[in-house]
Amino acid sequence: MSQSPRRLRSAEWFGTADKNGFMYRSWMKNQGIPDHEFQGKPIIGICNTWSELTPCNAHFRKLAEHVKKGVLEAGGYPVEFPVFSNGESNLRPTAMFTRNLASMDVEEAIRGNPLDAVILLVGCDKTTPALLMGAASCDIPTLVVTGGPMLNGKHEGKDIGSGTVVWKLSEEVKAGKISLHDFMAAEAGMSRSAGTCNTMGTASTMACMAESLGTSLPHNAAIPAVDSRRYVLAHLSGNRIVEMVHEDLKLSKVLTKQAFENAIRTNAAIGGSTNAVIHLQAIAGRIGVDLTLDDWTRIGRGTPTIVDLQPSGRYLMEEFYYAGGLPAVLRRLGEADRLPHKDALTINGKTLWENVQDAPLYNDAVIRPLDTPLREDGGMCVMRGNLAPNGAVLKPSAATPELMTHRGRAVVFENFDDYKARINDPDLDVTADDILVMKNCGPRGYHGMAEVGNMGLPSKLLEQGITDMVRISDARMSGTAYGTVVLHVAPEAAAGGPLAAVRNGDLIALDAYAGTLHLEVDDAELTARLAESDPTAESTQIASTGGYRQLYIEHVLQADRGCDFDFLVGCRGAEVPRHSH
């Protein structure tokens, strides 16, 4: 076995012939580990978000076993450990509420244990950013292995997409187009195998972000969860992480500003989730890269969306993989000189371009040529104005082009409960030209910024055949959702942002192309309105109840800064802590 030219981090636990070394080795040996495994082999942590409460990640026990085989084959020793698994499908009020908690779990688990490197087993939406954030704050050799998407959903002989079909069919029920029975019949067919959402939702988007950032092996993003090639990739990842220890290839050498700019361009090309904005901002903050919303405009705008996947397009993740997956997308971008930094380093020791320059591409309908894109400009729209001084975002590939520039009357909901109580009231004063505005759903106002921004339209408008209208909130929306939806308004209403002052009947002007969002109320009136009440009162009262919720509300940053905790920003490294005895 080749030896590392430097002292391994794990040797600070296992490499001494004294009382402490005795204790660390002895207790590990109660698992049947022979002594030679502690003699200079890299110890590889397998950070596992397996949980039966996180259905997307429920197959990770098997995935971990394949990673272990690769680690052992390469001369390392694998140790699997659990961390908080924040699954999107069951957690209330939202998995985003516990993303930072999970990142803290990961960071301290890495720093406090005898690990030379770590493989992150991620899948469901928030597990990918949470684990990357925690690992970035430690900066040891790190490699991402994603669980992969589900097989295509099936209903009435047709493919249906995870999440996307829920939004679509629930609106059709409200419009009277289908029965409740028809709606419920799609439930079993939507999720018919292990894995994450099979649309280009947040899970698939973040898998693509991890790959375009260079933190995973090529093809990691798209291989279906139940495809045997997913397990081959896990095995090869186990091989590679051991080599990374010997090369001292830390995460900070991969997660550079150049890597983030590649990811921003990729997000536009794939029609990725708006949630990627928040998560990349947070990951960048942990590793020490200065990433701003302006970078999303500078790098992303003008990039065509060429991946024809739901919710923006037609196909699903199975077709995306069979068409060539993310390497094919990156090749198309690179050949058109649209890949900002071809020479960005990736975890396999090669540049991003070396990994993808010969990538096969099998289906031009799924991964389109740049001259026949799904959307000419798929770059995330970042808007500012007196309604969003620190920014708001809109996903153009999922919006109605005619509504991207719009002026309308505000129909205001003070919070999500108010919205639910009144949206289907036949007496609601609303027309298709109005703008639905919802407040108090940001990081503090909804304790985690729930995915409620894609407000369903009023029933009476759906019955008239209206399928989209402008919606504005300080909330997020699911990556599987669609519509002309302005999200992440910052500062949020519960933090005293101007959104708190919007009243019914106010005129709002949106120009997503120009990047403006303006409330047509003069400054003096806006100031007076905000002075009339304390928009932070509710969240402050809730915070006084204590617990993690209080910690969250008191320390969470706004959406434009990634919703991380203020005290977690930055890389603290993996200096070996003092002994426990």
Side-chain angles (χ1 to χ4, degrees):
M1 183 191 72
S2 61
Q3 295 294 317
S4 292
R6 58 189 179 80
R7 183 174 175 82
L8 293 171
R9 186 174 181 274
S10 59
E12 299 296 329
W13 281 261
F14 301 137
T16 61
D18 58 8
K19 177 190 69 176
N20 286 306
F22 175 104
M23 288 191 295
Y24 295 130
R25 289 187 300 272
S26 178
W27 277 312
M28 287 292 285
K29 287 178 178 179
N30 79 355
Q31 300 173 82
I33 304 172
D35 188 68
H36 68 267
E37 300 290 6
F38 299 102
Q39 304 305 314
K41 290 186 176 183
I43 306 298
I44 308 299
I46 301 175
C47 184
N48 200 341
T49 51
W50 170 86
S51 171
E52 290 180 340
L53 287 170
T54 305
C56 298
N57 300 10
H59 59 302
F60 279 18
R61 282 178 166 174
K62 182 177 180 181
L63 196 68
E65 291 305 312
H66 286 271
V67 173
K68 290 177 183 178
K69 291 177 183 178
V71 171
L72 290 167
E73 183 180 70
Y77 191 78
V79 286
E80 183 181 351
F81 63 98
V83 291
F84 187 92
S85 182
N86 49 337
E88 190 68 50
S89 54
N90 283 318
L91 270 180
R92 294 184 179 184
T94 167
M96 183 66 175
F97 179 56
T98 51
R99 184 201 64 178
N100 297 345
L101 177 65
S103 79
M104 294 166 71
D105 187 354
V106 173
E107 177 180 348
E108 299 308 328
I110 291 173
R111 185 177 295 113
N113 280 297
L115 304 177
D116 298 303
V118 64
I119 282 190
L120 309 177
L121 295 190
V122 300
C124 193
D125 297 13
K126 308 306 177 292
T127 59
T128 303
L131 269 59
L132 271 171
M133 288 162 66
S137 286
C138 294
D139 194 25
I140 65 173
T142 301
L143 196 157
V144 170
V145 174
T146 303
M150 288 186 278
L151 296 177
N152 291 358
K154 297 288 183 179
H155 178 57
E156 296 181 344
K158 300 177 182 178
D159 287 345
I160 57 173
S162 309
T164 302
V165 73
V166 176
W167 317 123
K168 179 178 181 290
L169 294 184
S170 63
E171 295 287 75
E172 290 183 0
V173 171
K174 289 166 62 177
K177 294 180 179 179
I178 63 172
S179 69
L180 182 61
H181 174 77
D182 293 333
F183 175 60
M184 300 305 294
E187 182 177 306
M190 186 182 81
S191 307
R192 65 189 190 92
S193 82
T196 61
C197 289
N198 52 32
T199 52
M200 189 54 77
T202 303
S204 295
T205 297
M206 291 310 299
C208 290
M209 293 298 93
E211 187 172 331
S212 61
L213 284 167
T215 59
S216 70
L217 293 180
H219 290 289
N220 172 71
I223 304 172
V226 295
D227 192 311
S228 61
R229 288 167 288 191
R230 171 64 56 188
Y231 299 107
V232 172
L233 182 136
H235 185 118
L236 295 176
S237 297
N239 287 165
R240 178 57 193 159
I241 193 67
V242 177
E243 296 171 350
M244 290 172 64
V245 174
H246 298 310
E247 297 166 9
D248 195 26
L249 183 50
K250 296 180 179 179
L251 199 52
S252 58
K253 297 178 182 179
V254 175
L255 287 181
T256 61
K257 181 64 176 282
Q258 291 71 30
F260 284 98
E261 291 185 350
N262 284 337
I264 289 172
R265 183 67 56 81
T266 302
N267 189 72
I270 64 174
S273 169
T274 49
N275 288 297
V277 180
I278 289 178
H279 297 322
L280 288 190
Q281 295 297 116
I283 296 166
R286 292 294 188 96
I287 203 69
V289 168
D290 182 19
L291 192 69
T292 69
L293 291 183
D294 291 337
D295 291 317
W296 286 83
T297 298
R298 179 175 59 86
I299 300 295
R301 294 304 306 278
T303 305
T305 297
I306 60 173
V307 176
D308 195 344
L309 257 64
Q310 296 181 29
S312 301
R314 298 172 292 173
Y315 299 102
L316 296 169
M317 286 296 289
E318 266 195 84
E319 284 81 20
F320 183 47
Y321 177 58
Y322 305 148
L326 194 68
V329 175
L330 297 175
R331 177 179 177 177
R332 283 232 146 118
L333 291 175
E335 289 178 340
D337 201 26
R338 295 290 191 98
L339 199 56
H341 305 284
K342 292 182 177 181
D343 59 349
L345 181 66
T346 71
I347 53 89
N348 67 359
K350 298 179 181 180
T351 67
L352 188 64
W353 186 240
E354 286 173 333
N355 284 336
V356 305
Q357 60 185 339
D358 298 318
L361 202 160
Y362 301 112
N363 191 331
D364 284 349
V366 178
I367 303 174
R368 297 186 176 198
L370 269 73
D371 57 1
T372 56
L374 184 68
R375 191 70 175 253
E376 291 285 349
D377 185 351
M380 205 68 70
C381 292
V382 176
M383 294 145 291
R384 286 189 172 86
N386 69 344
L387 192 53
N390 295 341
V393 303
L394 179 147
K395 177 179 174 179
S397 64
T400 301
E402 294 76 19
L403 291 175
M404 295 277 282
T405 301
H406 186 74
R407 181 173 180 264
R409 186 184 60 146
V411 177
V412 178
F413 303 97
E414 291 300 319
N415 51 47
F416 189 51
D417 291 334
D418 183 31
Y419 161 78
K420 288 192 294 183
R422 296 195 294 122
I423 190 62
N424 293 319
D425 185 341
D427 295 325
L428 181 67
D429 183 12
V430 63
T431 71
D433 292 328
D434 291 335
I435 295 175
L436 302 183
V437 177
M438 184 165 60
K439 309 175 184 178
N440 294 302
C441 293
R444 293 183 61 178
Y446 205 112
H447 319 140
M449 199 180 180
E451 295 178 340
V452 296
N454 55 309
M455 294 171 266
L457 305 190
S459 294
K460 67 180 183 181
L461 295 185
L462 291 169
E463 291 168 359
Q464 297 170 20
I466 303 302
T467 58
D468 194 12
M469 59 192 298
V470 176
R471 288 154 273 180
I472 299 173
S473 74
D474 46 14
R476 296 179 300 113
M477 77 173 182
S478 168
T480 66
Y482 51 88
T484 310
V485 185
V486 178
L487 304 154
H488 311 178
V489 171
E492 64 177 304
L499 188 68
V502 181
R503 295 178 178 174
N504 280 311
D506 287 345
L507 292 175
I508 297 174
L510 162 71
D511 190 335
Y513 298 114
T516 59
L517 183 63
H518 187 71
L519 176 66
E520 295 185 1
V521 172
D522 64 51
D523 292 345
E525 171 67 13
L526 195 56
T527 301
R529 289 185 186 182
L530 288 172
E532 287 179 5
S533 62
D534 179 8
T536 67
E538 182 179 354
S539 63
T540 301
Q541 181 179 1
I542 292 171
S544 66
T545 60
Y548 175 71
R549 183 164 54 179
Q550 179 170 342
L551 176 74
Y552 185 96
I553 293 174
E554 291 179 353
H555 292 281
V556 69
L557 298 170
Q558 289 295 290
D560 61 303
R561 298 184 61 189
C563 299
D564 203 357
F565 290 158
D566 51 15
F567 61 86
L568 290 177
V569 175
C571 179
R572 286 164 284 283
E575 183 178 352
V576 175
R578 291 182 289 182
H579 287 295
S580 58
H581 293 86

